[in-house]
Amino acid sequence: MRRGAWSNRYAFYLATVGSAFSLGNLWRFPYVVDSNGGGAFVVTYILLCFIIGMPIVVGELMLGKLSRLSIISATDQISQQSAHAWVRKWKPWKWVGVSANLASIFLLSFYSVICGWVLFFLVQYLVHMFTGIPLADDLFNILMKNGWLQVGLMSVHLLITTIVVSRGLKQGIERLSTLIMPLFMALMIYLVFKSLSLPGTVDAMRFLFYPNFSYFTSETLLKVLGHVFFTLSVGMGAMVVFGSYLRDDTYVPRSGFKVTILDITISIFSGFLIFPIVFSANINGDYGPSLIFNTLSVFFNKMGLGNFFGLIFFICLYLAALGASIMLLETSVAHLIDSKRFKRNRASWSMIVFVFIAALPASLSSTVFKDMKFMDLSMLRLYDKVLVDYLLPVVCLGISLLVGFGLTKKQKENLFIREDEMDSENLYRNWHFLVRWLVPAVIILGFFSSIFY
Ligand code: PHE
């Protein structure tokens, strides 16, 4: 099946990075860095993005470009075409695809709760821009006490996402990301510039980049790995969908490299934005998922035209998060269209019902389910932990084995080795070593150390 390709390279990068650059960079990165001791986490994160995340990004894009299908159909096809009878019978690769799809639905369910929070701040800044009054310091706590408001916000977000997806991927994301990404980048540069002039900057830089490995516990490796997968959008089939829309002449390794570099840069930028505020305002304690909301309101309240900048920031953040949500829903919708012959409209609305049900406990985790804790974690944090610390590493282990062993040498070489690309044979050998051996080894090591130490 031939799919519509992206109209130009620029649109592809913006959309791919647009889905990668989102809440993972701006909301999750600062708080996991904060809760895991700073520099050691950041340094490991950068390293693992290159040696673990990037090879999988390339592998997923490759899977999509080869098959022009969504992840379940692509992995099913690979199982069926295998030379080994047991693979054709048990279809292990297809199960990797199915788990990736489940992970995307699971992520969308708690992601939409956070998108609801972003929507709430967006509306607050809009209202306060007209009244000229700064936002209340405890606004986030007020939101946390109102579970049904969170359900309402999450529902509005899911509704918007479904409307965009049901009308088609290309019109939806291309237009959105081409418009919003450059604006968001420019705004980030301006805000980072402002934040770096705060008195806490030196301490913030030390915290961010001085690798004190005494904070590195036996669980940290798995946490870093999970975050790398989350932020690079791998392990959920999203990059496979992107790959399936790639133009024939696109060189997949280069795309993977650019996506990784941009994603790291944006995460570091969000560290530059958040941590000087944290250290200047003496915001102590483990804020967890509320970190950016609490710090940014302090920042915007002190800034000239703060409500205006707050509004633009939250509009951009919301649109970036919407882009990511669209991608997450698209992975399942593409599957229903590819293999179950659903119409786009029907596929989108049926999927969203499951997402909504799964999102309910997460939306109500600070109210109705407040006392329901597991491993001392609220529902929302439990969702995050199960997905990011366990499910994503398992799926990515599967994907690396699938790409390393399931695809034929010829399939991989055809996409990698090109005469017009300098040193592509060497590049292929290195990538292949990483995806086949190093990625699985590091993920297994992560699991071992978190279980046995
Ligand atoms: N990478 C996105 C983020 O950082 C999350 C995401 C995962 C989006 C998978 C789309 C697909 O927020």
Short mmCIF file of all heavy atoms in Angstrom, two decimals, residues 228-284:
data_model
loop_
_atom_site.label_atom_id
_atom_site.label_comp_id
_atom_site.label_asym_id
_atom_site.label_seq_id
_atom_site.Cartn_x
_atom_site.Cartn_y
_atom_site.Cartn_z
N VAL A 228 14.32 8.25 28.14
CA VAL A 228 14.86 8.37 26.78
C VAL A 228 13.83 7.87 25.77
O VAL A 228 13.54 8.52 24.76
CB VAL A 228 16.19 7.58 26.65
CG1 VAL A 228 16.60 7.41 25.20
CG2 VAL A 228 17.30 8.25 27.44
N PHE A 229 13.21 6.73 26.06
CA PHE A 229 12.22 6.17 25.12
C PHE A 229 11.00 7.08 25.04
O PHE A 229 10.47 7.34 23.96
CB PHE A 229 11.81 4.75 25.55
CG PHE A 229 12.97 3.80 25.61
CD1 PHE A 229 13.04 2.81 26.60
CD2 PHE A 229 14.00 3.88 24.69
CE1 PHE A 229 14.12 1.93 26.66
CE2 PHE A 229 15.08 3.01 24.75
CZ PHE A 229 15.15 2.04 25.74
N PHE A 230 10.58 7.54 26.21
CA PHE A 230 9.40 8.41 26.26
C PHE A 230 9.62 9.66 25.42
O PHE A 230 8.82 10.02 24.57
CB PHE A 230 9.17 8.79 27.73
CG PHE A 230 7.98 9.68 27.98
CD1 PHE A 230 6.81 9.14 28.50
CD2 PHE A 230 8.02 11.04 27.74
CE1 PHE A 230 5.71 9.95 28.76
CE2 PHE A 230 6.93 11.86 28.00
CZ PHE A 230 5.77 11.30 28.51
N THR A 231 10.75 10.32 25.66
CA THR A 231 10.97 11.61 25.01
C THR A 231 11.25 11.46 23.52
O THR A 231 10.88 12.30 22.71
CB THR A 231 12.06 12.42 25.75
OG1 THR A 231 12.11 13.71 25.19
CG2 THR A 231 13.41 11.80 25.67
N LEU A 232 11.90 10.35 23.13
CA LEU A 232 12.16 10.16 21.70
C LEU A 232 10.98 9.48 20.98
O LEU A 232 11.08 9.13 19.81
CB LEU A 232 13.43 9.35 21.48
CG LEU A 232 14.74 10.06 21.84
CD1 LEU A 232 15.93 9.11 21.66
CD2 LEU A 232 14.96 11.30 20.98
N SER A 233 9.90 9.28 21.69
CA SER A 233 8.68 8.68 21.13
C SER A 233 8.90 7.28 20.56
O SER A 233 8.31 6.93 19.54
CB SER A 233 8.08 9.54 20.01
OG SER A 233 7.94 10.85 20.39
N VAL A 234 9.77 6.48 21.18
CA VAL A 234 9.92 5.12 20.67
C VAL A 234 9.25 4.11 21.61
O VAL A 234 8.97 4.42 22.77
CB VAL A 234 11.41 4.72 20.44
CG1 VAL A 234 11.97 5.43 19.23
CG2 VAL A 234 12.25 4.93 21.66
N GLY A 235 9.00 2.93 21.06
CA GLY A 235 8.37 1.88 21.88
C GLY A 235 6.85 1.99 21.85
O GLY A 235 6.16 1.28 22.55
N MET A 236 6.34 2.93 21.02
CA MET A 236 4.89 3.09 20.96
C MET A 236 4.38 3.05 19.52
O MET A 236 3.23 3.38 19.26
CB MET A 236 4.50 4.39 21.64
CG MET A 236 4.59 4.29 23.15
SD MET A 236 4.69 5.87 23.95
CE MET A 236 6.41 6.25 23.84
N GLY A 237 5.28 2.73 18.62
CA GLY A 237 4.84 2.63 17.22
C GLY A 237 4.74 3.96 16.48
O GLY A 237 4.46 3.99 15.29
N ALA A 238 4.97 5.06 17.21
CA ALA A 238 4.78 6.37 16.57
C ALA A 238 5.80 6.59 15.44
O ALA A 238 5.45 7.07 14.36
CB ALA A 238 4.90 7.47 17.61
N MET A 239 7.05 6.24 15.70
CA MET A 239 8.07 6.47 14.67
C MET A 239 7.85 5.55 13.46
O MET A 239 8.27 5.86 12.36
CB MET A 239 9.47 6.23 15.24
CG MET A 239 9.92 7.33 16.16
SD MET A 239 10.19 8.87 15.26
CE MET A 239 10.11 10.04 16.59
N VAL A 240 7.19 4.40 13.71
CA VAL A 240 6.88 3.50 12.59
C VAL A 240 5.87 4.19 11.68
O VAL A 240 6.00 4.18 10.46
CB VAL A 240 6.34 2.14 13.10
CG1 VAL A 240 5.99 1.23 11.94
CG2 VAL A 240 7.33 1.48 14.04
N VAL A 241 4.88 4.83 12.32
CA VAL A 241 3.90 5.56 11.51
C VAL A 241 4.59 6.67 10.72
O VAL A 241 4.38 6.83 9.52
CB VAL A 241 2.77 6.13 12.40
CG1 VAL A 241 1.82 6.99 11.57
CG2 VAL A 241 1.99 5.01 13.06
N PHE A 242 5.47 7.41 11.39
CA PHE A 242 6.20 8.47 10.67
C PHE A 242 6.99 7.89 9.50
O PHE A 242 6.97 8.43 8.40
CB PHE A 242 7.18 9.19 11.60
CG PHE A 242 6.53 10.31 12.33
CD1 PHE A 242 6.48 10.32 13.71
CD2 PHE A 242 5.96 11.36 11.64
CE1 PHE A 242 5.86 11.35 14.38
CE2 PHE A 242 5.35 12.40 12.30
CZ PHE A 242 5.29 12.38 13.68
N GLY A 243 7.68 6.79 9.77
CA GLY A 243 8.48 6.15 8.73
C GLY A 243 7.63 5.72 7.55
O GLY A 243 8.04 5.81 6.40
N SER A 244 6.39 5.31 7.85
CA SER A 244 5.54 4.82 6.77
C SER A 244 5.11 5.96 5.85
O SER A 244 4.66 5.72 4.74
CB SER A 244 4.32 4.08 7.35
OG SER A 244 3.42 5.01 7.87
N TYR A 245 5.23 7.17 6.32
CA TYR A 245 4.88 8.32 5.48
C TYR A 245 6.12 8.97 4.85
O TYR A 245 6.01 10.00 4.21
CB TYR A 245 4.14 9.38 6.30
CG TYR A 245 2.71 9.01 6.63
CD1 TYR A 245 2.39 8.42 7.85
CD2 TYR A 245 1.68 9.25 5.73
CE1 TYR A 245 1.09 8.08 8.16
CE2 TYR A 245 0.37 8.91 6.04
CZ TYR A 245 0.08 8.33 7.26
OH TYR A 245 -1.21 7.99 7.56
N LEU A 246 7.29 8.39 5.11
CA LEU A 246 8.52 9.02 4.60
C LEU A 246 8.64 8.93 3.09
O LEU A 246 8.21 7.94 2.49
CB LEU A 246 9.74 8.31 5.20
CG LEU A 246 10.28 8.79 6.52
CD1 LEU A 246 11.52 7.99 6.86
CD2 LEU A 246 10.64 10.26 6.45
N ARG A 247 9.28 9.92 2.50
CA ARG A 247 9.50 9.86 1.05
C ARG A 247 10.58 8.82 0.74
O ARG A 247 11.44 8.55 1.56
CB ARG A 247 9.98 11.23 0.56
CG ARG A 247 8.89 12.27 0.55
CD ARG A 247 9.46 13.64 0.71
NE ARG A 247 10.42 13.95 -0.34
CZ ARG A 247 10.21 14.89 -1.26
NH1 ARG A 247 9.10 15.60 -1.23
NH2 ARG A 247 11.12 15.14 -2.17
N ASP A 248 10.55 8.28 -0.47
CA ASP A 248 11.50 7.24 -0.82
C ASP A 248 12.95 7.68 -0.71
O ASP A 248 13.83 6.92 -0.36
CB ASP A 248 11.24 6.75 -2.25
CG ASP A 248 9.94 5.96 -2.32
OD1 ASP A 248 9.58 5.36 -1.29
OD2 ASP A 248 9.30 5.97 -3.38
N ASP A 249 13.21 8.96 -1.03
CA ASP A 249 14.60 9.40 -1.07
C ASP A 249 15.14 9.83 0.30
O ASP A 249 16.29 10.24 0.42
CB ASP A 249 14.77 10.53 -2.10
CG ASP A 249 13.89 11.73 -1.77
OD1 ASP A 249 12.99 11.57 -0.90
OD2 ASP A 249 14.09 12.80 -2.35
N THR A 250 14.33 9.77 1.34
CA THR A 250 14.82 10.23 2.65
C THR A 250 15.81 9.21 3.23
O THR A 250 15.55 8.00 3.21
CB THR A 250 13.65 10.40 3.64
OG1 THR A 250 12.69 11.23 3.02
CG2 THR A 250 14.11 10.99 4.94
N TYR A 251 16.92 9.72 3.74
CA TYR A 251 17.92 8.83 4.34
C TYR A 251 17.61 8.68 5.83
O TYR A 251 17.81 9.61 6.62
CB TYR A 251 19.32 9.43 4.10
CG TYR A 251 20.45 8.47 4.46
CD1 TYR A 251 20.45 7.16 3.99
CD2 TYR A 251 21.51 8.91 5.23
CE1 TYR A 251 21.48 6.30 4.32
CE2 TYR A 251 22.56 8.05 5.55
CZ TYR A 251 22.53 6.75 5.10
OH TYR A 251 23.55 5.90 5.41
N VAL A 252 17.09 7.51 6.18
CA VAL A 252 16.57 7.29 7.53
C VAL A 252 17.58 7.57 8.66
O VAL A 252 17.23 8.22 9.65
CB VAL A 252 16.01 5.84 7.63
CG1 VAL A 252 15.68 5.48 9.04
CG2 VAL A 252 14.79 5.71 6.76
N PRO A 253 18.85 7.12 8.54
CA PRO A 253 19.77 7.39 9.65
C PRO A 253 19.93 8.88 9.93
O PRO A 253 20.02 9.29 11.09
CB PRO A 253 21.10 6.80 9.15
CG PRO A 253 20.70 5.78 8.16
CD PRO A 253 19.46 6.29 7.50
N ARG A 254 19.93 9.67 8.86
CA ARG A 254 20.09 11.11 9.09
C ARG A 254 18.88 11.68 9.83
O ARG A 254 19.01 12.49 10.74
CB ARG A 254 20.33 11.86 7.78
CG ARG A 254 20.50 13.33 8.01
CD ARG A 254 20.96 14.14 6.83
NE ARG A 254 22.20 13.64 6.25
CZ ARG A 254 22.28 13.13 5.03
NH1 ARG A 254 21.21 13.05 4.27
NH2 ARG A 254 23.43 12.71 4.56
N SER A 255 17.69 11.19 9.43
CA SER A 255 16.48 11.67 10.10
C SER A 255 16.55 11.33 11.58
O SER A 255 16.23 12.17 12.44
CB SER A 255 15.23 11.00 9.55
OG SER A 255 15.26 10.99 8.16
N GLY A 256 16.97 10.08 11.90
CA GLY A 256 17.05 9.65 13.29
C GLY A 256 18.01 10.52 14.07
O GLY A 256 17.73 10.92 15.21
N PHE A 257 19.13 10.86 13.45
CA PHE A 257 20.14 11.67 14.13
C PHE A 257 19.58 13.07 14.43
O PHE A 257 19.70 13.57 15.54
CB PHE A 257 21.38 11.77 13.22
CG PHE A 257 22.48 12.60 13.81
CD1 PHE A 257 23.20 12.15 14.91
CD2 PHE A 257 22.79 13.85 13.26
CE1 PHE A 257 24.21 12.92 15.45
CE2 PHE A 257 23.80 14.62 13.80
CZ PHE A 257 24.52 14.16 14.90
N LYS A 258 18.93 13.66 13.43
CA LYS A 258 18.42 15.02 13.64
C LYS A 258 17.35 15.08 14.72
O LYS A 258 17.33 15.98 15.54
CB LYS A 258 17.86 15.56 12.32
CG LYS A 258 18.94 15.91 11.34
CD LYS A 258 18.37 16.73 10.22
CE LYS A 258 19.45 17.02 9.20
NZ LYS A 258 18.91 17.53 7.94
N VAL A 259 16.48 14.08 14.68
CA VAL A 259 15.42 14.06 15.68
C VAL A 259 16.03 13.98 17.08
O VAL A 259 15.64 14.70 18.01
CB VAL A 259 14.46 12.86 15.44
CG1 VAL A 259 13.52 12.66 16.60
CG2 VAL A 259 13.68 13.05 14.15
N THR A 260 17.05 13.12 17.22
CA THR A 260 17.67 12.94 18.54
C THR A 260 18.35 14.22 19.01
O THR A 260 18.15 14.66 20.15
CB THR A 260 18.72 11.79 18.48
OG1 THR A 260 18.10 10.68 17.88
CG2 THR A 260 19.23 11.44 19.85
N ILE A 261 19.14 14.82 18.13
CA ILE A 261 19.86 16.04 18.51
C ILE A 261 18.88 17.14 18.93
O ILE A 261 19.04 17.79 19.97
CB ILE A 261 20.70 16.57 17.31
CG1 ILE A 261 21.90 15.69 17.09
CG2 ILE A 261 21.11 18.01 17.48
CD1 ILE A 261 23.04 15.98 18.05
N LEU A 262 17.84 17.31 18.12
CA LEU A 262 16.89 18.37 18.44
C LEU A 262 16.18 18.10 19.76
O LEU A 262 15.97 19.00 20.56
CB LEU A 262 15.86 18.51 17.32
CG LEU A 262 16.36 19.36 16.17
CD1 LEU A 262 15.52 19.17 14.93
CD2 LEU A 262 16.35 20.83 16.57
N ASP A 263 15.84 16.85 19.97
CA ASP A 263 15.12 16.53 21.19
C ASP A 263 15.97 16.78 22.44
O ASP A 263 15.50 17.33 23.43
CB ASP A 263 14.65 15.07 21.13
CG ASP A 263 13.56 14.82 22.15
OD1 ASP A 263 12.46 15.35 21.96
OD2 ASP A 263 13.83 14.12 23.13
N ILE A 264 17.25 16.40 22.35
CA ILE A 264 18.14 16.63 23.50
C ILE A 264 18.26 18.14 23.73
O ILE A 264 18.16 18.62 24.86
CB ILE A 264 19.55 16.05 23.24
CG1 ILE A 264 19.47 14.53 23.15
CG2 ILE A 264 20.53 16.46 24.34
CD1 ILE A 264 20.79 13.87 22.83
N THR A 265 18.47 18.88 22.64
CA THR A 265 18.65 20.33 22.78
C THR A 265 17.45 20.95 23.49
O THR A 265 17.60 21.78 24.40
CB THR A 265 18.80 20.98 21.38
OG1 THR A 265 19.73 20.22 20.66
CG2 THR A 265 19.23 22.41 21.45
N ILE A 266 16.27 20.52 23.08
CA ILE A 266 15.08 21.13 23.68
C ILE A 266 14.95 20.76 25.17
O ILE A 266 14.57 21.59 25.99
CB ILE A 266 13.82 20.75 22.89
CG1 ILE A 266 13.94 21.36 21.49
CG2 ILE A 266 12.57 21.26 23.55
CD1 ILE A 266 13.06 20.73 20.45
N SER A 267 15.31 19.52 25.50
CA SER A 267 15.25 19.14 26.92
C SER A 267 16.23 19.98 27.74
O SER A 267 15.89 20.46 28.83
CB SER A 267 15.62 17.68 27.11
OG SER A 267 14.59 16.87 26.64
N ILE A 268 17.43 20.15 27.22
CA ILE A 268 18.42 20.94 27.97
C ILE A 268 17.92 22.38 28.10
O ILE A 268 18.04 23.00 29.17
CB ILE A 268 19.80 20.90 27.24
CG1 ILE A 268 20.31 19.47 27.15
CG2 ILE A 268 20.82 21.80 27.93
CD1 ILE A 268 20.60 18.79 28.47
N PHE A 269 17.32 22.87 27.04
CA PHE A 269 16.75 24.21 27.10
C PHE A 269 15.69 24.31 28.19
O PHE A 269 15.62 25.30 28.90
CB PHE A 269 16.09 24.54 25.75
CG PHE A 269 16.90 25.50 24.96
CD1 PHE A 269 18.16 25.15 24.51
CD2 PHE A 269 16.42 26.77 24.68
CE1 PHE A 269 18.92 26.03 23.80
CE2 PHE A 269 17.18 27.66 23.97
CZ PHE A 269 18.44 27.30 23.53
N SER A 270 14.88 23.27 28.31
CA SER A 270 13.85 23.40 29.33
C SER A 270 14.48 23.31 30.72
O SER A 270 13.99 23.93 31.66
CB SER A 270 12.71 22.41 29.11
OG SER A 270 13.03 21.18 29.60
N GLY A 271 15.62 22.61 30.83
CA GLY A 271 16.37 22.63 32.09
C GLY A 271 16.87 24.05 32.38
O GLY A 271 16.80 24.55 33.51
N PHE A 272 17.38 24.71 31.33
CA PHE A 272 17.86 26.10 31.47
C PHE A 272 16.74 27.04 31.89
O PHE A 272 16.96 28.03 32.56
CB PHE A 272 18.42 26.61 30.13
CG PHE A 272 19.77 26.04 29.77
CD1 PHE A 272 20.29 26.25 28.50
CD2 PHE A 272 20.52 25.33 30.68
CE1 PHE A 272 21.53 25.74 28.15
CE2 PHE A 272 21.76 24.81 30.34
CZ PHE A 272 22.26 25.01 29.07
N LEU A 273 15.54 26.71 31.44
CA LEU A 273 14.41 27.57 31.78
C LEU A 273 13.98 27.36 33.24
O LEU A 273 13.79 28.31 33.99
CB LEU A 273 13.24 27.29 30.82
CG LEU A 273 11.91 27.95 31.13
CD1 LEU A 273 12.03 29.47 31.01
CD2 LEU A 273 10.81 27.48 30.17
N ILE A 274 13.83 26.08 33.61
CA ILE A 274 13.21 25.78 34.91
C ILE A 274 14.17 25.92 36.10
O ILE A 274 13.82 26.51 37.13
CB ILE A 274 12.61 24.35 34.91
CG1 ILE A 274 11.57 24.19 33.79
CG2 ILE A 274 12.04 23.97 36.26
CD1 ILE A 274 10.34 25.07 33.94
N PHE A 275 15.40 25.40 35.97
CA PHE A 275 16.22 25.32 37.18
C PHE A 275 16.72 26.66 37.74
O PHE A 275 16.78 26.80 38.96
CB PHE A 275 17.33 24.28 37.01
CG PHE A 275 16.75 22.90 37.07
CD1 PHE A 275 16.58 22.14 35.93
CD2 PHE A 275 16.29 22.37 38.27
CE1 PHE A 275 15.99 20.89 35.97
CE2 PHE A 275 15.69 21.12 38.33
CZ PHE A 275 15.54 20.37 37.17
N PRO A 276 17.06 27.65 36.89
CA PRO A 276 17.39 28.94 37.51
C PRO A 276 16.23 29.48 38.35
O PRO A 276 16.44 30.07 39.41
CB PRO A 276 17.67 29.84 36.30
CG PRO A 276 18.13 28.91 35.24
CD PRO A 276 17.32 27.66 35.45
N ILE A 277 14.99 29.21 37.91
CA ILE A 277 13.83 29.69 38.69
C ILE A 277 13.77 28.93 40.01
O ILE A 277 13.58 29.50 41.08
CB ILE A 277 12.51 29.46 37.92
CG1 ILE A 277 12.59 30.01 36.50
CG2 ILE A 277 11.34 30.08 38.66
CD1 ILE A 277 11.39 29.66 35.62
N VAL A 278 13.98 27.61 39.93
CA VAL A 278 13.93 26.79 41.14
C VAL A 278 14.96 27.28 42.15
O VAL A 278 14.66 27.49 43.34
CB VAL A 278 14.20 25.30 40.81
CG1 VAL A 278 14.35 24.46 42.06
CG2 VAL A 278 13.09 24.75 39.93
N PHE A 279 16.19 27.51 41.68
CA PHE A 279 17.26 27.89 42.62
C PHE A 279 17.13 29.36 43.06
O PHE A 279 17.56 29.69 44.15
CB PHE A 279 18.63 27.61 42.01
CG PHE A 279 18.98 26.15 42.09
CD1 PHE A 279 18.66 25.27 41.07
CD2 PHE A 279 19.58 25.62 43.23
CE1 PHE A 279 18.94 23.91 41.16
CE2 PHE A 279 19.88 24.27 43.34
CZ PHE A 279 19.55 23.41 42.29
N SER A 280 16.55 30.21 42.23
CA SER A 280 16.42 31.61 42.64
C SER A 280 15.29 31.77 43.64
O SER A 280 15.38 32.56 44.57
CB SER A 280 16.12 32.51 41.44
OG SER A 280 17.08 32.32 40.45
N ALA A 281 14.21 31.03 43.43
CA ALA A 281 13.05 31.22 44.30
C ALA A 281 13.09 30.29 45.50
O ALA A 281 12.16 30.26 46.30
CB ALA A 281 11.77 30.98 43.51
N ASN A 282 14.18 29.54 45.62
CA ASN A 282 14.31 28.58 46.71
C ASN A 282 13.12 27.63 46.81
O ASN A 282 12.55 27.44 47.88
CB ASN A 282 14.44 29.32 48.04
CG ASN A 282 15.89 29.32 48.44
OD1 ASN A 282 16.62 28.39 48.12
ND2 ASN A 282 16.31 30.39 49.12
N ILE A 283 12.74 27.13 45.65
CA ILE A 283 11.62 26.19 45.65
C ILE A 283 12.18 24.82 46.03
O ILE A 283 12.89 24.19 45.27
CB ILE A 283 10.96 26.14 44.25
CG1 ILE A 283 10.42 27.51 43.90
CG2 ILE A 283 9.88 25.08 44.19
CD1 ILE A 283 9.85 27.64 42.52
N ASN A 284 11.88 24.43 47.26
CA ASN A 284 12.49 23.17 47.74
C ASN A 284 11.49 22.04 47.72
O ASN A 284 10.30 22.26 47.66
CB ASN A 284 12.99 23.34 49.17
CG ASN A 284 14.14 24.32 49.21
OD1 ASN A 284 15.00 24.28 48.35
ND2 ASN A 284 14.11 25.22 50.18
#
